[in-house]
Amino acid sequence: LLLEINLINDLIKSSKININDDYIAFLLDNPCENIRKARKKIKLSRQAFADLLGVSDTSVRRWELGNSHISRKKFERLKKFL
């Protein structure tokens, strides 16, 4: 899935396509690092950040490591911390 997202991202960059969907744009712009930065910015542990978003700390760890993608619903909760 990450490979597919990277291929789509490369295609969009080369074609100068404008993405108006915040969620898709987020997935194409290093979501792992952006989630980690958001958590660090508000100085929370993975568990505390997970509690804030209503998910498990395992979900946050997977998102930060790129083993899983955040859902659109969870992204809507995350947006206020980006």
Side-chain angles (χ1 to χ4, degrees):
L1 186 59
L2 286 176
L3 178 61
E4 292 171 2
I5 289 175
N6 288 336
L7 290 173
I8 292 168
N9 194 22
D10 290 344
L11 176 65
I12 289 169
K13 286 180 180 179
S14 67
S15 302
K16 307 280 191 272
I17 296 172
N18 187 15
I19 300 293
N20 293 322
D21 184 315
D22 288 346
Y23 175 67
I24 299 299
F26 175 78
L27 290 179
L28 294 173
D29 185 30
N30 197 3
C32 306
E33 183 65 19
N34 291 331
I35 291 170
R36 189 187 67 76
K37 282 181 182 178
R39 180 174 65 83
K40 296 285 187 178
K41 182 172 84 173
I42 57 177
K43 299 177 179 161
L44 292 179
S45 67
R46 281 186 179 151
Q47 183 62 60
F49 194 59
D51 291 344
L52 192 64
L53 296 175
V55 300
S56 69
D57 63 320
T58 301
S59 290
V60 174
R61 180 177 49 81
R62 287 179 180 161
W63 297 339
E64 289 182 353
L65 296 175
N67 296 330
S68 177
H69 290 291
I70 189 170
S71 69
R72 185 178 291 271
K73 183 178 176 181
K74 301 301 184 206
F75 171 72
E76 291 301 321
R77 293 182 191 168
L78 173 70
K79 276 197 320 190
K80 58 185 158 193
F81 303 108
L82 297 175

